[in-house]
Amino acid sequence: MNITVIGQGYVGLVNSVILASFFHNVIGLDNDKNKVATLKQGIATIKEPNLQSLMSDAKDRLRVLRRTPKTRFAPIKSSMSPSILRKAKTENRI
């Protein structure tokens, strides 16, 4: 399956690498040219256990490109939107 993941931050990069490790062809897009350059060298931009070794194993199935205003996308067949939960402060709350 061909998959595009928009954003290669903490959530997007991990999703891209995991999907590529399951033998999907993944294109990771990000608008930060420095991050894209680092990822193209095969270097993880975040700290996550085993991420670097998974990136190395999936390097033939994971491409990272810079997203620009002219980037075109294929029709969306499925969309994922992860939610990030934050620990709420419980002091002074009922």
Side-chain angles (χ1 to χ4, degrees):
M1 181 183 292
N2 297 321
I3 300 170
T4 300
V5 178
I6 301 170
Q8 295 299 290
Y10 191 82
V11 174
L13 180 58
V14 172
N15 281 321
S16 295
V17 172
I18 289 172
L19 289 166
S21 71
F22 281 101
F23 303 99
H24 297 293
N25 296 313
V26 179
I27 296 175
L29 296 175
D30 201 281
N31 57 1
D32 182 336
K33 65 181 176 182
N34 296 324
K35 183 186 299 182
V36 170
T38 302
L39 292 170
K40 281 185 174 186
Q41 295 174 12
I43 301 169
T45 55
I46 61 169
K47 300 281 185 194
E48 182 67 29
N50 302 318
L51 183 64
Q52 188 63 57
S53 63
L54 285 171
M55 277 183 70
S56 297
D57 293 344
K59 67 182 176 194
D60 295 333
R61 295 176 300 279
L62 175 61
R63 292 188 321 159
V64 181
L65 303 173
R66 183 157 182 242
R67 182 178 179 200
T68 66
K70 294 183 180 181
T71 304
R72 294 180 177 249
F73 300 99
I76 296 174
K77 293 183 180 177
S78 176
S79 175
M80 295 185 296
S81 180
S83 296
I84 298 174
L85 301 176
R86 295 183 185 200
K87 192 185 251 188
K89 290 184 180 179
T90 55
E91 27 184 80
N92 299 328
R93 294 202 182 180
I94 298 176

